[in-house]
Amino acid sequence: MRHTVTHLGPKAAKGKLFPRVRGRRPASNDTRISPATFWHSLRAEWIKMRTMRSTLYVILGALAFSMGLAALNGSSAGGEYARLSPADQAAFDPLATSLRGYLVAQIAFGLLGGLVMTSEYGARTIVATLTSVPHRARVLGSKAAVLVGVALPVGVLVSLAGFLIGQASLSGAGAPHLGLSDGAALRGIFGGGVYLALAGLFGLALGAVIRSTTATVTTLFGVMLIVQAFAPALPGAVGDWVSKFWPPIAGGQIITAFRDPELLSPWAGLAVMAGCVAALLAAAFIVFRERDA
C-alpha cells in the first residue's frame, strides 16, 4: 500500500501549523517615571543630612564648646566684677558673657552647611542627585530648607545651654545675672539660634560657590573670626565701618544686652547678617544653575 506524503511550502506550513492569532496585542513595557517633586527632594536631603556622620559631630561639638566657654567666661567675669571700675560695671553685659561661645559655634554651623554641598562634590554623588532631580534650584532650595530645619532648633538649644550655664556661673560668683523671664534673655537665646542658622546658610552658599571643603572652612575662619579679631586695629573710618556693618559683627549684636550707641541695634544687626546671607545665596543659586556638575 503506497502512502502519499504532501510537502508544504514555507508560507503554507506557517499558515497551517502556526496560525496567526488576531486580536490582542502584547502588553507594552512603557513605564513612565514621574518627575521628582520638591517634597521628594526635601526627603532625600533629610536622609543625606541625617546619615552624614559629621552632622552629629558638629552638633555635639558646638554644644560642648558653647557650654564650656559659658562656664569659663561666667566664672572669670564674675570673679573680676567686684574689681571693675564703676564705668565698667555699668557696661557689664551678663548676656554676652554667657553666649560668647557663639564665636566657635558659628564656625561649626557654617562647616555643617558647607559640608551639605562639598561632601557631594567630593564623593561625586552630586551627579546622581542632579540626574534624579534635574531642577537645580529645587535641589539647592531643599538643601537650604533641611539645613534650617536642623540648624535653627539646635542653635536655640546651644544658646539656651550656654545661657543657663553662664548665668549660673555669674550668680555663683555674685555678679549681675539674668533669668529666663528677662526680655533680653529670650531675645538673645532665640536670636542666637537664628544667627547660627544664618551661619549655616552662609556656609551652604560658600560650599555651592567654592565646592571645596578646605577652601570653605578657610573662608569661614577669615570672614567670621579673623576680620572680627582685627577690626579694632583697622585705621580710622575703615575700622569704624567694619566694626559696625561687617555682617558677622553686626549679627552678633543679637546676643548683647548692653547697648553700644556706636554699633547697630540687635535686630538691625541681625537684619544686616540676613541680608548678606540672602545675597550670597542668590549668587549661589545662579552659579549652581549655570555651572556643570
Side-chain angles (χ1 to χ4, degrees):
M1 185 174 180
R2 180 177 296 179
H3 297 277
T4 304
V5 179
T6 306
H7 296 281
L8 300 177
K11 294 183 179 181
K14 186 176 180 181
K16 292 184 178 181
L17 298 180
F18 305 101
R20 181 178 296 177
V21 179
R22 299 179 181 274
R24 285 190 343 188
R25 295 182 178 180
S28 174
N29 293 326
D30 183 21
T31 56
R32 297 182 180 179
I33 301 175
S34 58
T37 64
F38 181 75
W39 171 253
H40 294 143
S41 181
L42 201 66
R43 185 177 179 184
E45 295 302 329
W46 163 244
I47 293 173
K48 292 176 189 177
M49 176 169 282
R50 188 186 62 190
T51 56
M52 193 168 59
R53 286 181 298 177
S54 56
T55 301
L56 181 60
Y57 297 154
V58 166
I59 291 174
L60 293 179
L63 192 60
F65 272 107
S66 297
M67 294 170 64
L69 288 176
L72 290 174
N73 288 340
S75 59
S76 62
E80 296 175 358
Y81 177 79
R83 297 189 294 271
L84 296 177
S85 65
D88 290 336
Q89 288 183 350
F92 183 76
D93 193 339
L95 181 62
T97 299
S98 61
L99 296 182
R100 192 62 66 185
Y102 91 96
L103 290 171
V104 177
Q106 66 179 347
I107 299 297
F109 278 71
L111 174 60
L112 178 62
L115 285 174
V116 169
M117 285 300 303
T118 60
S119 62
E120 289 216 56
Y121 280 107
R124 299 306 300 159
T125 56
I126 189 67
V127 176
T129 297
L130 296 179
T131 301
S132 58
V133 187
H135 199 296
R136 297 195 175 198
R138 185 174 297 166
V139 172
L140 192 56
S142 60
K143 286 181 181 292
V146 170
L147 179 63
V148 171
V150 173
L152 182 58
V154 173
V156 172
L157 177 62
V158 168
S159 299
L160 176 61
F163 174 83
L164 293 177
I165 292 177
Q167 299 307 312
S169 300
L170 289 173
S171 176
H177 56 280
L178 301 174
L180 283 174
S181 58
D182 293 307
L186 295 177
R187 183 250 299 161
I189 293 170
F190 178 74
V194 173
Y195 176 87
L196 292 178
L198 289 173
L201 290 176
F202 186 80
L204 174 70
L206 283 179
V209 173
I210 300 176
R211 295 184 174 188
S212 168
T213 301
T214 304
T216 299
V217 173
T218 303
T219 306
L220 285 171
F221 270 97
V223 171
M224 292 187 163
L225 287 182
I226 296 178
V227 174
Q228 186 165 354
F230 285 95
L234 295 175
V238 175
D240 294 339
W241 186 91
V242 172
S243 298
K244 186 174 185 178
F245 294 107
W246 188 253
I249 299 177
Q253 295 303 308
I254 196 66
I255 66 159
T256 60
F258 176 74
R259 177 75 174 89
D260 189 341
E262 296 183 358
L263 301 178
L264 294 175
S265 64
W267 290 112
L270 191 65
V272 170
M273 178 67 176
C276 172
V277 172
L280 190 57
L281 275 175
F285 269 101
I286 295 173
V287 171
F288 186 61
R289 185 184 61 187
E290 298 297 332
R291 196 163 53 181
D292 293 336

